[in-house]
Structure formats: C-alpha cells, structure tokens
Amino acid sequence: MKVFKAGAAAAVAAVLALTATACGGSSDKASSDGGASGGAKDKIVIGIKYDQPGLGLKTPDGKFSGFDVDVATYVAKELGYQPDQIEFKQAVSAERENLIANGDVKLVVATYTINDKRKAKVDFAGPYFLAHQDLLVRADDTSITKAEDLNKKKLCSVTGSTSAQNVKTKLAPEADLLEQGGYSECLTGLENKKLDALTTDNSILAGYAAQEKNKGKFKLVGLKLSDEPYGIGLKKGDKDLQTKVNAALKKMVEDGSWQKAVDANLGPADYKAEPAPQITEGS
C-alpha cells in the first residue's frame, strides 16, 4: 500500500511539472523566437553592433549606447516593451540575415544598409538613416579633400571592406590599401601618421571621431562616395511587424526624438547628418 501511495505521489508530481512547463511555454517561446508574443513578462531580442561608438557599442560595464541603440529602444517601446524587457544580441555583419531567419532576434538595428541582395533574404522597415561612404583623416591634414587625393597615400579599412575596395578600384587605383582587423587599429595608425586615411560609412567614422579619447584628433573629409540607407531588418513576410516598426520610426522623427538621438551620439564629431529619410520599405 505504501508503495502504491509513493507511486501515485510521483505521478501527480510529474503531471504538475508538465502542467507548469506548459503554462510557461509562452514566455519561453518569446525568448527563443526573439520576443513574439508581446506579453508583460516577455522580452524582445534585438541585434545591434557591439563595436561601433556612436552607433552600437557595448561598454566594459555591460551597458549599451549609440544612435542605433536609441532607435532600437524607441521602436521597442512603441511595440510595447520597456527598456528592461529588451535583450541586445551582437549582430556582426556576416550573421545578420542568419540571426533573423533562425529567430534568434526579432529585429536587427545595426548599420544595416538596405539593398536588393539582402532583401532576397529578409525584409526591412525604414530606412531610418542615410549615411554615405566618407574618409577620416587627421584634423590637421589639408592634403586630402577628394578620393583621388588618396593616390600614392596609405588608405586603411577593415578586412573585406567593400568601402576600401570601392575607393581603390574606382577612385584611387594607386592608393596603398592596408586592411586591418578592426577600425581601432586603423585609427592608431592614422594618429601615428603611419596611415593617411580611413574609409567606411561616415556615420561610423563620426562615432569614432566623437569618442572622448579621439576628440580633436580626426575630421571627416565630407565626401559622399555612396548612399547607405540604414534599415531595420526583420523576418521575411512579417508585414504586420514591418508596418508597426515603420509607424514607430515615423513617430520618432515627428516628436523630435530622432534628431535628439543624432545630436547626442554623432554631434560631437561635427557630423552633419542628412534629414531623416522617407520610409520606402513596405509601401
């Protein structure tokens, strides 16, 4: 009889455990699919860059800052999530489409240029920002005012950068291109006069120039070597989410929060941002 009671108790415990797991399924699902259900206890997972000052940066104390972070936080709030319900996940350039397709993130806000190749795999909301490829030089350098001036000079960018290749193949074929593992290495070489210029999106360059340790050392040349419309990446076919994110971006511009975020994050580098672009995705 005692054996029967023990067995029955174990069976009841097992049933209760299964029931509890089922009841918690909604919250678990929200975490695993980037925050789908939007309930009070849910979180939304958003992919950002961790290494771009002024745009998306994770500091040593585990905090996040930058224009993309501010945009992501604003959009999340409009979707019903408070800052403590946002989980930021690193979204390196090569993995952005995979993170979205696999459901690891709900949105990607990571200097994510909208183009046809990417739109074959994911959908975008926005654009919410228009950047251009530019050059960063030392503050006292007056010898580089256009891309062609890079001929016979040392140009730096990160390994595999399409920006650097664009300059070398189309604009300054005699430039001495040096590819480094990260932008910080390029900045060190630029400061030490071992390099003459760094190229990538002007928004990224402005973020580095605006860092406290770099203030007054560098300047943007002010070129527009390409158009880079940044969009918010999301799962292909999710039109409802796309519509909601577009509405949030429009509101951010209209209430002044967009300009405030631009000024706070990129203003210290004297960066002259383009006006907020017209939203074209999903229309």
Side-chain angles (χ1 to χ4, degrees):
M1 191 70 175
K2 290 179 181 179
V3 173
F4 172 78
K5 286 184 177 180
V12 170
V15 170
L16 289 173
L18 287 171
T19 303
T21 302
C23 290
S26 172
S27 179
D28 292 342
K29 181 179 185 298
S31 297
S32 65
D33 71 358
S37 51
K41 295 183 179 180
D42 297 334
K43 288 195 173 186
I44 184 168
V45 185
I46 302 177
I48 62 167
K49 291 291 181 67
Y50 276 18
D51 60 351
Q52 292 181 346
L55 292 159
L57 184 69
K58 183 178 182 181
T59 55
D61 59 2
K63 295 181 180 179
F64 300 94
S65 65
F67 177 69
D68 279 351
V69 174
D70 289 348
V71 170
T73 302
Y74 188 100
V75 169
K77 185 177 180 181
E78 291 301 303
L79 294 176
Y81 298 92
Q82 295 304 311
D84 62 354
Q85 293 176 286
I86 302 171
E87 178 185 335
F88 287 121
K89 188 178 183 70
Q90 187 173 24
V92 298
S93 296
E95 288 299 315
R96 289 176 295 200
E97 286 87 21
N98 290 335
L99 289 171
I100 295 170
N102 295 338
D104 296 321
V105 298
K106 194 71 173 174
L107 303 170
V108 167
V109 190
T111 57
Y112 201 5
T113 298
I114 301 169
N115 60 38
D116 290 339
K117 183 178 179 181
R118 290 169 178 163
K119 286 170 68 172
K121 299 178 181 178
V122 302
D123 279 340
F124 286 95
Y128 64 90
F129 193 84
L130 180 60
H132 304 283
Q133 185 185 344
D134 199 356
L135 303 174
L136 190 74
V137 299
R138 288 182 293 278
D140 60 356
D141 188 344
T142 59
S143 68
I144 301 173
T145 59
K146 57 185 183 298
E148 289 77 9
D149 292 336
L150 291 170
N151 282 313
K152 308 293 186 182
K153 292 185 180 287
K154 293 180 179 179
L155 173 66
C156 190
S157 197
V158 296
T159 302
S161 166
T162 56
S163 298
Q165 293 298 333
N166 180 44
V167 170
K168 184 164 177 61
T169 58
K170 299 178 182 178
L171 302 168
E174 295 181 50
D176 182 5
L177 176 59
L178 176 66
E179 293 182 303
Q180 297 281 21
Y183 292 116
S184 296
E185 297 164 68
C186 289
L187 285 167
T188 299
L190 191 57
E191 183 178 2
N192 296 336
K193 298 187 177 181
K194 293 181 179 179
L195 299 166
D196 298 302
L198 163 61
T199 188
T200 188
D201 295 358
N202 54 6
S203 55
I204 298 173
L205 296 175
Y208 277 105
Q211 280 187 294
E212 193 63 39
K213 63 180 180 180
N214 293 327
K215 284 182 179 178
K217 294 180 180 179
F218 310 108
K219 66 180 179 182
L220 292 164
V221 175
L223 306 179
K224 296 181 180 180
L225 303 177
S226 68
D227 290 335
E228 308 293 338
Y230 293 165
I232 296 181
L234 51 101
K235 201 156 195 173
K236 198 160 185 64
D238 195 339
K239 298 302 181 184
D240 181 58
L241 180 61
Q242 184 184 49
T243 299
K244 290 178 180 178
V245 174
N246 278 336
L249 293 174
K250 288 178 182 176
K251 183 177 178 181
M252 186 177 187
V253 173
E254 290 168 356
D255 69 13
S257 299
W258 183 90
Q259 189 62 53
K260 184 178 179 181
V262 170
D263 294 341
N265 292 292
L266 301 174
D270 292 327
Y271 178 73
K272 302 298 187 291
E274 297 272 4
Q278 195 74 25
I279 289 175
T280 57
E281 299 305 302
S283 57

